[in-house]
Amino acid sequence: MIVLGIETSCDETAAAVVNDKREILANRVLSQLDDHRPYGGVVPEIAARAHLEHLDRLVAEAMDDAGLEFSDLDAIACTGGPGLIGGVMVGTMTAKAIAFAAQKPFLAVNHLEGHALTVRLTDDVPFPYLLLLVSGGHCQVLIVEGVGKYKRIGTTIDDAVGEAFDKTAKMMGLGYPGGPALEQIATKGNPDRFGLPRPLRGRAGCDFSFSGLKTAVRTYMDGFPIDQQTEEVKADLAASFQRAVGDTLIDRTRNAVFEFMRDYPTGKTLVLAGGVAANKYLRGRLTELTDQAGMQLVAPPLDLCTDNAAMIAWAGLERFRLGERDDLDFKPRPRWPLDPEAPKRPGAGVKA
Ligand code: KG4
Ligand code: ZN
């Protein structure tokens, strides 16, 4: 079984081919970072136009890499949401056109399900597992019972964790995207220098909050005259910030681990997924938690943490082999929660 995947929900244009032997036959990702950098963030219209300009070529390259024709595919999958709607429309229309022309089944994949199921492609992780989904638009803990079966047990009540990284990095003048830049300078910093809050620490439940942390960094920055905002100050602040994020993630996820172990005694895995899962420091910190709990931490390789189309092809393949298909009149979805039963939270990220 071979599936082509297309990803266009944010600022990566991507096409990939995977098969049911868990092999990635092609994985092309074109980052639009240079297009958006002058604006300090992703500009939706620029993103949509760039997807339109590059997607056909990337699909052709991915098919070439895999050495396949469209007629060799079993299905075509694309991100159907959530995300920036112009980009999602470009990917969806392209996938539908290929599916229609090649007379192949079409699947519209939830981008978050792509992140959620990546570890089944890379590590064959069995259900159920506990998932900490940390990206630019999300910070959620979910119990993954199966394909399409998600139970959200915690979420951010304000900023997403990647958003907190990006905003903090921006106020420190580290440019865009902030997460990787902040991680980079934090390696040279002293994490004990600045006292920062650990929002919601010790409280019941598994919700997260990051906006207070970001404000505290701003207060420190504002306390330094501009000529004293040295590389050393920034590195120490970045390291202190990253440690506070690590402590917060561990504290909140610990409650989720207890709940998961109580209700799903066969589950042994905590999965870390989404763009922020590329952070090596946080990956390391979360193993403290899984070691204590007798669980295993699994995170995809770095290039499959950030947005890519292999995860979309794989999620499409998982749904396809369960007999699922989508109609060609599928409407792209700017919002698409993994657990539609979970109560909406007012500040919970742009894509929740
Ligand atoms: O999953 P993703 O590629 O896109 C979304 O679906 O949001 O996640 C992007 C987010 C951005 O906020 C980016 O700053 C963050 O992931 N990120 C990181 C790192 N690499 C990417 N945050 C912290 N450390 C990193 N190494
Ligand atoms: Zn993503």
Side-chain angles (χ1 to χ4, degrees), residues 9 111 115 135 274-275 305-307 311 351:
S9 68
H111 177 88
H115 282 302
S135 72
C305 285
T306 44
D307 288 348
M311 69 180 192
K351 300 181 198 166

Side-chain angles (χ1 to χ4, degrees), residues 11-12 31 33-34 36-37 40-42 162 165-167 169-170 174-183 306:
D11 58 345
E12 271 93 16
S31 165
L33 279 183
D34 292 342
H36 300 288
R37 192 171 281 116
V42 181
F165 265 91
D166 293 339
K167 288 180 178 169
K170 195 169 183 176
L174 299 179
Y176 168 82
L182 198 149
E183 177 178 26
T306 44

Side-chain angles (χ1 to χ4, degrees), residues 4 13 19 21 26 42 73 98 126 157 179 181 200 204 232 238 242 249 261 275 278 285 297 326 332 339 344:
L4 167 69
T13 315
N19 67 18
K21 289 189 224 131
V42 181
L73 298 171
I98 297 169
I157 56 171
L200 299 180
E232 187 187 346
Q242 207 171 236
L249 287 178
M261 289 172 58
R285 289 298 308 276
L297 182 77
D326 288 301
D339 178 2
K344 248 188 165 171

Side-chain angles (χ1 to χ4, degrees), residues 124-188:
D124 207 10
V125 175
F127 298 123
Y129 51 86
L130 186 64
L131 169 68
L132 177 58
L133 181 61
V134 279
S135 72
H138 292 276
C139 184
Q140 303 188 348
V141 201
L142 300 125
I143 293 167
V144 184
E145 294 176 344
V147 176
K149 294 198 184 86
Y150 301 90
K151 208 169 125 196
R152 195 192 78 194
I153 58 173
T155 186
T156 180
I157 56 171
D158 42 55
D159 289 349
V161 64
E163 189 182 359
F165 265 91
D166 293 339
K167 288 180 178 169
T168 302
K170 195 169 183 176
M171 69 176 91
M172 295 202 296
L174 299 179
Y176 168 82
L182 198 149
E183 177 178 26
Q184 181 60 32
I185 69 158
T187 55
K188 293 174 251 156

